[in-house]
Structure formats: structure tokens, C-alpha cells
Amino acid sequence: MTADAGLATRWPTIVKQPAAVPPHLADYDATCAEFRWDDARRALNGLPGGGLNIAHEAVGRHAAGPLRDREALRFVRADGSTRSYSYAELDGRSARFAGVLRDLGVQPGDRVFSLLGRSPDLYVAVLGTLRYGSVFCPLFSAFGPEPVRQRLHLGGGRVLLTTRAYYRKKVAPVRDQLPALEHVLLVDGPAEPGTLDLAELMAAAEPETEIARTRPDDLALLHFTSGTTGTPKGAMHVHEAVVAHWATGLYALDLHPGDVYWCTADPGWVTGMSYGIIAPLVHGVTAVVDEEEMDADRWYSILAEQHVTVWYTAPTALRMLMRAGTERARAHDLSALRFVASVGEPLNPEVVVWGQEAWGLPVHDNWWQTETGGIMIANFVAADIRPGSMGRPIPGIEAALVARDDDGDPIVRDGAAVLVTDPELEGELALRPGWPSMFRGYLNEEERYRRCFVGGWYLTGDLARRDADGWFWFVGRGDDVIKSAGHLIGPFEVESSLMEHDAVAEAGAIGVPDPVAGQVVKAFVQLRRGVEPTDELRLDILGFARKRLGPAVAPREIAFAENLPKTRSGKILRRLLRARELGLPEGDLSTLEAPR
Ligand code: ATP
Ligand code: MG
């Protein structure tokens, strides 16, 4: 790999004080070795008389027990006021929503879609749909008409919940191309032609008292991937996923009764579903939902005023808070906060360390993807942090690195994948199939699904390294790595080094063709607010990167950019930087975030 010693050696380990270590994780290695998924299955009680249903585990059983009146969801409105739902209330409303589906003649297994902001209706609909035994598919509310049409069509949506405005703008123009879409329910009625008023239907419906006796392998959720590497894929998830949501809620997020937990992800993406709805409710904690968009001061106010104890967010937001400065962070009372975690993109070590400085808490990176349904690799509350590392596999998960040939294909011998064990070398991150939240297919793409499983492993498409102690280090997406003069360069390492320069706020690195080296690195750099983009600065950053990374890995060229193109889930779209640079077709941009 690269000549650079890597991120591992540049940032000192953050050592956890023993007082911060919860007893159930005190002996991490023993915990991992002893853990069995069956233990996690037993921790959930299942439906009385048999069957497993996410809605029962998340709200039904709490509503019938001592947590009945506990606050389940707390919505924070634009003006900072809140509206809370107890477990009993949420259960009652979702039973009523299930009654609406029944009255409409919807069948278990049918697909119910939503195109909604983070409003209570969305949460009620998710739980009501699962309770009824239908399949829920959330769409991100900022999608335009074509991405909405594409996904509704692919998923065979029979019911859609949305608002009047979204209906007019995004659904009505494509409705005649969606013959399977029978019922459109408006959450902010009155109904218009071709739609129904949800409030009216809810008022008229008898609650569905029974919870569908779904089996662990029955389909529950459909999630489209972020579209970072190409056209989004529809990943299919089953009710048994809740077992992993429970286990990871405990081991990776340290959720305990009494916690006020905030996951900033939108339920239009898998994080906002698995960890914005299911995991916290299964643990009986209070989940905060911000109905508004990201804004540094608003976010700090929410953390402080709602006394958030556990916070799960993303690198793009954390980098934005870092840009907003340490002073802003210190102006708020964050004393309730005890655990911060991040997912979605590689987390630059600088951000981990900055968290420690600004809040007195390091950020715990964890890794997973839509396909895995839940967290797979994590920095644990009980373990020291090696800044820049994704951490170690959660209990019950076996992860490895599969060797790839020069074409990037996995190497298999005698039916078994060849594994990389040298800590200096990278391989494709792979997981041993069989964990409960594993996806059970890509919608209408069976062959693509089959190709993910090779030589006894599920291949993730990401490249990583594993150090001698078993910590995993992200190198890059398989499609994003840069091959230069015999080196394989991960954009993450280049970007993280650039971010160490005082003037740099964010960076995206790609490979561009070079007659001698094959490819050389070009970096797009967004400067911190108020910094002038001069030629002198460009040279300074180039020199800085060269010193840190060595000439073989450092960018040959740097361009200043006002904004880096990102997906709506906040990931840098390197494929678009590359396409624009090389004058290639831009590809599927359905998830591209409009520049702010
Ligand atoms: P698509 O599959 O459509 O290209 P996507 O992979 O971005 O989009 P998601 O499933 O939302 O869709 O994202 C999962 C991917 O995000 C992972 O495979 C990985 O590349 C990246 N990722 C997530 N968490 C981390 C992390 N902690 N460190 C590095 N990369 C991460
Ligand atoms: Mg992916």
C-alpha cells in the first residue's frame, strides 16, 4: 500500500477512564466471544403465541408494561416547542393506522411508501404498517418527481403517505405512470381529487388490536441505498432485523432506560429507520426528533435544552460544527451528553479529537451500510479510541478482509475467499453472512444480490485495513480508490491530511489519468469561512500535504471548490467530481443534494 505510515500513528489513542466503562462491556473481548445471537433473540419476547414483529418489540410490548406512560418520541418543532408521544399513545395511534390499511383492503406484504418530513405521521405510519404486516418504504422528502416515481415503481408501492404540497409537486405529475399506486393519503388534508384525507380515515377506523403474527424472515422494510456509487439499490429487510437493532443499540450506542437519545438522520435513509425509530424504541428510551434542517446553533440548543444523553450523527454534520468553532460549542450546557457516535462516511481523526476538545467527549465512529441493516463495526463506549479507525466488529459479527486481484475481483481458492492478514495491506471488507439484520435481496436484482456473496463471505464493496490488534481502518470505497505508480491510495487518508491544514474545511480526492503514474491524485478543497482562495494558499496546502503524505500519495493538483457535491444523506460524491473532471456522463444524480 502507501509509503505513508498512515493515520494510525499520527493521532494518539484516546484512553477511556475506567469510570466511563459500563459493566456489561468491561471485558470487551470476553463479551464478544461469549455473545450469541440467540441471547439477543431471547432478550426480545416475541409475540405471545409465536411470531416476531418489529412493531411489537418497539412499542406493543412497552405499551402493555411498565413503560406505558414513558415518553417514546419527542418532536422538536421549528420554534423549539415540543410535542411528545408516550409508548401507549404511539401504540394506540399505530393500531389505528393499521385499521386504516385494513379498511382500504391493503394486504400484508403490500408496500406502503411515505414521502414526508420528520413529522409524527411518518413514525405512526411506520409502526402501523409493520404492525399490520405490510412492508414500509420511506422516501426522502426532498426527492424530486423522477426519483419518487422511480422508487415507487420499482417497489410496487400500493399506498403512499404524503403532504398536499409534495403531492402536487412530486406525485401528481407522475401519477399516471404508477398504475400500482392505489391510495394516496394526505397527512395535511383535506383530500384533493385522487387522494384521501388521513385524519378522516384515522377518525373513522377501528384500531387493529391484533399485531400481525409475522415470522422472523417476513419482509418488513425496503430501503434504497444512498446512490453514492451509482443508481440506488432497493435493499429488502425482514422483521428479524430488530434483534440486531436491539443488540447494537446496547453494544454500539449504549442505550439504557432513562436515556434521551437523538439520531439526526432522516428516516428516509436506513440510519433514520434502524436507529432513529427502531433501536431506541426497542430499548424503551426517549427519542428526540428534530423536525427542521441542520443548523449549528439549533443543534446545540436541542442538545442542551432536551438534555440529550446519547447522540448519533454523521461526519458531514460534525465537520460543519467543527467549522462553526469551539466557542459556539462551549456556549451551551452539554453536561447531560455522555456518548457521541457517527456513521455514514469516514470520520476524519481531526473531528474525533476536536470533539474531545470542544465537548469533552470523543466521537465514536461506526461502520455499516443499508445492506447490513445495522451497525457492524464500532468504537465502543468501553474501548479506547484510535482516531481514524472505525473500531472493531460488534459482538456476533465476524469481519475479514478479502484479497482482490488486479481487476479488483475477490480471490477465491477451493471455494474459499483468500483473506488478507498483513496489517499493512488492504482488502475488501467482508462479513460472515447470517446476522439478523442482513438484507435478504436487492429489489428486482437477484443476480446482483447473489454476486455479493463470494467464498463464504458477504462482500461490502469497501476497502479497509486491519491493524495487528483487530481495529479496522477504512481506506475507501472500491470504486473510489486511486491507483498511482503502483500505490493504492485511499481518498480518506488524503482528505483527512488536507483537513489538518488550518485553511481547509472539507476535501474530496479523486484519481485523474497520468501518462507516467497511471493516475495521480487531484483534490477538491473547500476552505474555511473567510479564507481567501489564493495561488499562494494553494501551494501552501500542496506542500503541507506532501510533507504529511509523501510525494507518491499527496495530491498533484488542488482545486478550490465552493461546495463539494454530496448525496442528500451527506456523503461526498467523488464519482461526480471525477465525471466532471474527465467530462464523462454524470450518471444517476437522483440523490444529489442541491448546493446550499
Ligand atoms: P450506494 O450503495 O448506492 O453507492 P452508499 O453505499 O453510500 O450508496 P449507504 O448504504 O447509505 O449507501 O452507505 C453505506 C456506505 O457508506 C458504506 O458502504 C461506506 O462506504 C460508507 N460508510 C458508512 N459508514 C462509514 C464509516 N464509519 N466509515 C467509512 N465509510 C462509511
Ligand atoms: Mg453502498
Side-chain angles (χ1 to χ4, degrees):
M1 168 75 193
T2 67
D4 181 57
L7 300 166
T9 53
R10 260 203 317 270
W11 297 89
T13 297
I14 298 177
V15 178
K16 297 273 180 66
Q17 298 307 315
V21 175
H24 65 279
L25 287 175
D27 190 345
Y28 169 81
D29 292 315
T31 305
C32 271
E34 278 166 22
F35 180 88
R36 298 284 174 277
W37 283 112
D38 277 342
D39 300 335
R41 286 188 182 94
R42 272 191 290 277
L44 305 176
N45 55 5
L47 283 163
L52 181 70
N53 186 303
I54 296 175
H56 171 70
E57 303 303 336
V59 289
R61 69 187 170 121
H62 296 320
L67 297 188
R68 197 183 150 71
D69 296 320
R70 178 166 294 172
E71 197 182 3
L73 295 174
R74 186 190 298 166
F75 293 88
V76 186
R77 301 191 185 102
D79 62 2
S81 66
T82 59
R83 160 79 171 103
S84 292
Y85 290 76
S86 67
Y87 277 92
E89 210 177 342
L90 199 54
D91 189 58
R93 289 194 66 78
S94 54
R96 210 169 261 278
F97 186 82
V100 168
L101 295 182
R102 182 199 54 221
D103 293 350
L104 291 173
V106 173
Q107 296 298 311
D110 281 351
R111 278 94 196 251
V112 177
F113 277 64
S114 66
L115 180 67
L116 288 174
R118 290 183 290 276
S119 75
D121 294 303
L122 171 57
Y123 293 73
V124 166
V126 168
L127 295 163
T129 301
L130 295 173
R131 178 186 183 100
Y132 187 67
S134 296
V135 178
F136 198 84
C137 179
L139 298 179
F140 186 54
S141 60
F143 283 150
E146 181 49 26
V148 168
R149 187 204 62 78
Q150 206 184 28
R151 287 164 179 76
L152 273 165
H153 170 74
L154 264 173
R158 184 164 178 202
V159 180
L160 171 70
L161 264 86
T162 188
T163 63
R164 295 167 67 79
Y166 292 154
Y167 181 72
R168 282 198 212 117
K169 258 190 269 166
K170 311 181 182 201
V171 185
V174 294
R175 180 95 190 251
D176 60 351
Q177 299 167 48
L178 295 167
L181 181 58
E182 234 172 284
H183 309 291
V184 176
L185 316 183
L186 299 185
V187 301
D188 56 353
E192 7 193 307
T195 69
L196 298 164
D197 178 349
L198 179 65
E200 237 173 60
L201 297 178
M202 288 281 274
E206 279 298 319
E208 177 58 69
T209 47
E210 291 285 301
I211 298 183
R213 204 172 287 289
T214 39
R215 287 161 307 191
D217 269 346
D218 282 343
L219 214 54
L221 297 159
L222 175 60
H223 274 292
F224 287 92
T225 60
S226 288
T228 313
T229 46
T231 307
K233 300 151 275 192
M236 304 199 279
H237 289 282
V238 297
H239 280 273
E240 195 188 24
V242 70
V243 175
H245 298 144
W246 177 84
T248 50
L250 185 63
Y251 290 112
L253 298 176
D254 199 39
L255 294 178
H256 296 284
D259 270 322
V260 177
Y261 162 81
W262 184 23
C263 168
T264 60
D266 190 280
W269 309 109
V270 72
T271 306
M273 178 66 73
S274 297
Y275 296 101
I277 306 180
I278 303 171
L281 296 180
V282 168
H283 279 279
V285 308
T286 299
V288 169
V289 181
D290 180 17
E291 295 191 1
E292 293 300 302
E293 295 307 312
M294 159 92 204
D295 167 89
D297 285 321
R298 179 176 172 85
W299 276 27
Y300 280 132
S301 304
I302 291 178
L303 288 170
E305 284 163 22
Q306 306 305 326
H307 306 288
V308 172
T309 57
V310 177
W311 183 33
Y312 194 21
T313 187
T316 180
L318 291 165
R319 287 192 296 257
M320 190 202 230
L321 293 177
M322 191 165 94
R323 268 197 315 269
T326 309
E327 291 299 302
R328 294 268 271 290
R330 294 204 178 130
H332 299 263
D333 175 11
L334 305 183
S335 54
L337 194 61
R338 66 175 166 81
F339 189 74
V340 184
S342 162
V343 72
E345 268 204 306
L347 181 66
N348 318 87
E350 190 170 9
V351 181
V352 179
V353 172
W354 177 79
Q356 179 82 44
E357 184 190 311
W359 313 320
L361 297 167
V363 185
H364 296 75
D365 186 23
N366 60 54
W367 176 97
W368 58 292
Q369 46 180 205
T370 310
E371 291 86 340
T372 70
I375 300 169
M376 298 282 109
I377 295 179
N379 282 281
F380 293 89
V381 63
D384 295 344
I385 295 182
R386 303 181 178 189
S389 163
M390 313 189 280
R392 290 179 289 171
I394 68 140
I397 294 298
E398 193 187 345
L401 303 174
V402 168
R404 314 207 314 170
D405 63 20
D406 287 345
D407 297 328
D409 293 323
I411 304 176
V412 179
R413 261 183 230 129
D414 302 327
V418 174
L419 301 184
V420 176
T421 49
D422 184 341
E424 298 296 315
L425 297 177
E426 70 290 311
E428 182 163 356
L429 181 58
L431 304 164
R432 188 71 85 184
W435 69 95
S437 62
M438 192 180 91
F439 72 138
R440 305 303 158 94
Y442 283 128
L443 197 61
N444 308 337
E445 291 186 280
E446 210 170 300
E447 170 59 20
R448 185 176 208 167
Y449 181 66
R450 227 177 35 75
R451 269 189 285 131
C452 294
F453 298 89
V454 173
W457 295 89
Y458 161 68
L459 296 177
T460 67
D462 288 342
L463 298 188
R465 266 180 281 172
R466 179 170 52 185
D467 66 24
D469 304 316
W471 259 258
F472 282 80
W473 300 75
F474 186 79
V475 171
R477 292 164 179 277
D479 297 358
D480 282 343
V481 290
I482 302 156
K483 281 187 193 149
S484 183
H487 295 283
L488 197 62
I489 302 172
F492 173 49
E493 190 172 4
V494 176
E495 292 159 8
S496 288
S497 294
L498 288 166
M499 279 188 61
E500 289 171 33
H501 190 287
D502 284 343
V504 177
E506 240 174 351
I510 60 166
V512 294
D514 178 82
V516 180
Q519 280 188 318
V520 291
V521 178
K522 173 164 183 176
F524 295 82
V525 161
Q526 186 185 336
L527 297 175
R528 287 189 188 236
R529 205 170 304 149
V531 178
E532 280 298 311
T534 61
D535 277 338
E536 210 183 332
L537 178 60
R538 192 198 317 273
L539 289 176
D540 190 63
I541 298 174
L542 276 169
F544 178 89
R546 205 166 243 266
K547 239 190 255 151
R548 286 239 177 335
L549 293 164
V553 178
R556 194 69 65 81
E557 201 185 328
I558 282 178
F560 293 127
E562 294 238 336
N563 276 297
L564 295 175
K566 287 190 186 152
T567 64
R568 293 185 187 274
S569 51
K571 299 160 194 268
I572 297 173
L573 267 167
R574 295 179 195 81
R575 72 171 159 96
L576 185 55
L577 287 172
R578 214 159 37 228
R580 285 177 180 165
E581 178 69 21
L582 306 179
L584 300 171
E586 294 192 339
D588 186 304
L589 297 184
S590 61
T591 61
L592 175 68
E593 180 190 59
R596 275 187 266 184

